[in-house]
Amino acid sequence: IRAVTTFTGDEDNRFSTAPMNDTFIVTNGLDQPQKFSGAALLAVASDLTTTLATGAVTTSEIVFTFKDHLFLMNNTENAADCPQRVSWTNIGATEDWTAGTSGYQDLVEDVSWVVGAALLSENSAIIYKERSIVEMTWVGGHTPFRFRTQVLGTGALSKDAIDSGTGEHMVVGPDVTYAYKGGTEIE
């Protein structure tokens, strides 16, 4: 990937990746997300069109797919930090951020930043912030996701500190390593 396109920064920048609709999306938090697609998947790279519903061009720390939507999390929009923002595309789209079921949600119950996300079940994904755990539930319709803070006071150190298993996550948090199976308790 580094040979195909030029990313700002160096090898210390952590990449976040997600596949969707025969497209491979890569982001590093510094550059506009890149998409790789076509017959020569890694030979064709271009900026992912990221004019969001907020009207801003963005960079993002985390890219994630859930229920046929592409998500960008912990964003910088028009050079303004939005570290608690979760933005998603229209259903089935990798670049439609303004129509249909697209939208965004600011997770402001605490002051920590979004650091990662992982699927928990078919209709539930967990967003890990530095100091909280937020459940994102698929509800369908025009506003397809419901966000509910489940745990305050602990979260994850980074996206690399979350290991996803069947119906449970193992997480290295700021103070403790724990298992999370949903709900308001950690083990």
Side-chain angles (χ1 to χ4, degrees), residues 53-76:
T54 58
V57 174
T58 191
T59 62
S60 180
E61 292 283 337
I62 307 293
V63 63
F64 183 70
T65 56
F66 176 54
K67 297 305 261 186
D68 209 19
H69 290 267
L70 181 67
F71 288 81
L72 294 178
M73 301 180 195
N74 191 338
N75 301 336
T76 300

Side-chain angles (χ1 to χ4, degrees), residues 52-136:
L52 304 181
T54 58
V57 174
T58 191
T59 62
S60 180
E61 292 283 337
I62 307 293
V63 63
F64 183 70
T65 56
F66 176 54
K67 297 305 261 186
D68 209 19
H69 290 267
L70 181 67
F71 288 81
L72 294 178
M73 301 180 195
N74 191 338
N75 301 336
T76 300
E77 300 176 0
N78 287 345
D81 286 336
C82 302
Q84 299 174 323
R85 182 155 295 161
V86 175
S87 302
W88 61 91
T89 61
N90 193 7
I91 192 164
T94 57
E95 297 190 59
D96 184 354
W97 300 90
T98 59
T101 59
S102 65
Y104 71 96
Q105 178 75 38
D106 289 327
L107 307 176
V108 295
E109 289 76 19
D110 67 334
V111 295
S112 65
W113 296 12
V114 173
V115 296
L119 293 176
L120 189 63
S121 69
E122 181 181 347
N123 293 314
S124 177
I126 303 300
I127 298 170
Y128 289 93
K129 296 176 65 182
E130 295 167 312
R131 290 281 178 193
S132 63
I133 300 171
V134 179
E135 181 181 24
M136 177 172 59

Side-chain angles (χ1 to χ4, degrees), residues 19 37 45 54-55 79 94 106 112 125 128 134 145 148 151 162 170 187:
S37 60
T54 58
T94 57
D106 289 327
S112 65
Y128 289 93
V134 179
F145 304 101
R148 183 177 13 201
V151 177
I162 305 161
M170 295 301 298
E187 296 177 9

